[in-house]
Each structure stands twice: as structure tokens, then as C-alpha cells.
Amino acid sequence: MPFAIHGGVWPTMITPYTDDNKPDFKAIAALCDWYIDKGCSGIFAVCQSSEMFFLSEAEKTDIAKAVVDAVGGRIQVVASGHTAEDKATQLREIENMMKTGVDAYVLVSNRLDQKNEGEAVFEANATEIFDRYPEVDFGIYECPVPWKRLVSTEFLRKAGREGRMVFLKDTCCDADLLRERLAAVEGTPLKIFNANAASWFDSTVHGGAGYNGVMANFHPDLYKWAYDHLEDQTEKARLVADFLTLAAALEMRLYPVSAKYYHSLVGVPMGISSRSSDAAKLDKNARAEVEALISMERELRRALGI
């Protein structure tokens, strides 16, 4: 039976680096503790936010193992790292990642249909993997790199009912399609998490499992507050969600460097270097924006009593 994935807030974990450009495992452990202290339900490790396209195979599994060890069963962990183009390497990625102790392996949708050949190819590749590893719980991430390949509602309906998927990181950014997807998987083990700050609240109101996006690297406790108070303080929760939508403009400001700078200011010591972005471009203005966000968060937490 698939394991029951917990709803709520799931950050897409960033990868801190040491001065010699290696994963900083001390900072990774501290970051895991920070996620837990902020009320996250789980961590999506080795994803695009983790710069998985810039990590070696060994680094991917080492990071996932470090996260599993740091969490120590306190919250759930899923991981991807599904970046290879050839099938043999993709299968090896799955097998090696599952040895780390993560709860589920997250496939990248565009790796299942690399030439955009259509639904038949996508389903055949996904089914081959599902059948090969019946003991593995799977998720799918609609990763926008190198291109965004959305999953069909019918595929989700089938995979959910057959118990072969427990997790979808939805990046469709379409409220109507999200409601359609949620209706299709209702009553199945498949939980749909929205990565889009602007639409996550609406999708959660209509049965979504919560938020799984980059801004959970900044203020997951605010997402959690809105999630926890969907029913008893709906209007206030919606106002918090509006703030989160506006704050998410920072996604476009040299992420994940901006997130690393944020953590260096809020008590999770780490450098701001990145393999996917040029940290030197985080100029005074960009730093001021992160600092302003911290001030606004502080005031909002005070108003909410958290």
C-alpha cells in the first residue's frame, strides 16, 4: 500500500555550498531543522531549487541521505534527481536515490516524454518505471526545465486509482485545471501540491494538499498559518495568501541566491554561492528587497500572533 503523504507545506529544498563549491552538509542539516521549526510537513529534496541539473549523481544521493538523516523521521522526505536523458541512467538514479531512505521518488514529467511525442509515449515510459519498481512510491514534478510538460488529467486519475502515485507537484498555474485534477484523484492516495503562490490557496480550498513551492524557503510558517486556518478564519487566511502572492515576486529575483541570502540573515548560516545563478548579481537593491521581506514577515507574524 502507498504511504500516506502529509498535507501542508513542503519546501523545495535549496542546496548550500561551501567555499570550495561542495554541498555544505552542516548548513543542510541546519536548514532541515529550520523547516521543521517552521511547521513544514515534508521536504522535497534534490529538485530544481536544489540545482539538481548542476549536481553529480553522487552529490544528489549524498544530499538526499543527509536530509533523511537530519530529519530523523520527524517529517517526510521525497526526492527527485531525475535528470538523465538515457533510460539506463534514469533507472540507476531511481535505484540509488531510494537507497537513501527517502519516502518517495519524484519523476520529472519532461524526462518521460523528452521529444514531446505525446501521451502514449509518456504513459508507456511512466508505466514501465512503475511496473519495474512496484515497491517504490512515486511522485511527478512538472518541472519547467528544460521545458514544462503537464500531466494529463486522465493519467492522474488512472495512476491515483491504481495507487502508483502519491505526489504531484503541480505547476499548471491554472485554477480551473487544478480543480479538474483534484476531482479526478479524489479518494485516491495521490495528493496534489500546488507550486504556484497565486493559486495555491484556491486549490487548497478545493481539496489540494497544500503548497510545494520555492517561497516555502522564505516563510513556510505563513503558508502553514493560512493552511491551518482555511476554515476557522477563512477571510484572514485569504488576506495572508494575498500577501504571499505579492511576496512571491521575489521568485524572479536571482533565486536561489536570494533564498540563501535570506537564510544567512535569519539564523541558518550559509554562503550565497550557486551553480545555477551568479551570486555576484545579488546587488544592493536585491539584498534590500530580501531585507524588506524579512521586516514585512515580522510584522505579519506579530499581527497573527505567531
Side-chain angles (χ1 to χ4, degrees), residues 58-212:
E59 287 174 330
K60 292 175 193 176
T61 54
D62 288 346
I63 289 169
K65 182 65 165 58
V67 173
V68 170
D69 290 346
V71 165
R74 290 177 290 172
I75 59 176
Q76 297 175 326
V77 179
V78 302
S80 185
H82 182 218
T83 59
E85 296 185 3
D86 65 287
K87 187 170 295 184
T89 306
Q90 288 188 16
L91 297 178
R92 187 175 69 233
E93 287 175 337
I94 296 170
E95 293 166 3
N96 289 339
M97 187 59 72
M98 291 311 299
K99 292 175 183 176
T100 67
V102 298
D103 294 301
Y105 186 82
V106 183
L107 300 165
V108 170
S109 57
N110 60 54
R111 299 295 85 190
L112 299 174
D113 183 16
Q114 295 184 52
K115 298 179 181 179
N116 199 16
E117 296 175 277
E119 191 62 19
V121 170
F122 179 93
E123 184 167 351
N125 287 328
T127 300
E128 180 182 355
I129 291 173
F130 291 165
D131 290 347
R132 187 182 183 98
Y133 304 106
E135 75 285 2
V136 175
D137 293 305
F138 284 101
I140 289 181
Y141 169 23
E142 294 176 326
C143 181
V145 174
W147 62 285
K148 185 187 292 189
R149 204 288 185 191
L150 297 181
V151 182
S152 73
T153 301
E154 185 54 39
F155 179 86
L156 294 174
R157 179 183 289 109
K158 181 179 179 182
R161 289 178 178 175
E162 292 177 351
R164 296 309 293 127
M165 277 183 65
V166 296
F167 177 94
L168 175 71
K169 179 178 177 180
D170 181 296
T171 67
C172 74
C173 306
D174 182 328
D176 292 332
L177 178 55
L178 268 160
R179 294 181 191 183
E180 177 185 299
R181 289 174 163 190
L182 289 166
V185 304
E186 185 177 3
T188 76
L190 175 51
K191 301 292 195 301
I192 296 180
F193 289 82
N194 193 340
N196 177 246
S199 60
W200 83 273
F201 187 81
D202 179 84
S203 64
T204 306
V205 167
H206 289 87
Y211 179 68
N212 175 222

Side-chain angles (χ1 to χ4, degrees), residues 222-251:
L222 298 179
Y223 280 94
K224 176 177 168 52
W225 193 94
Y227 177 87
D228 288 346
H229 294 283
L230 281 171
E231 296 183 3
D232 66 320
Q233 299 189 57
T234 305
E235 291 309 310
K236 186 178 287 188
R238 194 176 296 278
L239 285 173
V240 173
D242 287 343
F243 166 82
L244 296 172
T245 296
L246 293 175
L250 200 64
E251 283 188 44

Side-chain angles (χ1 to χ4, degrees), residues 14-29 50-51 55 59 63 260 269-275 279:
I14 56 177
T15 298
Y17 299 105
T18 60
D19 291 341
D20 56 353
N21 198 32
K22 296 178 181 178
D24 184 343
F25 293 104
K26 182 177 180 181
I28 286 171
S50 315
E51 304 174 70
L55 299 171
E59 287 174 330
I63 289 169
K260 296 176 185 184
M270 67 176 68
I272 67 169
S273 63
S274 167
R275 296 180 185 176

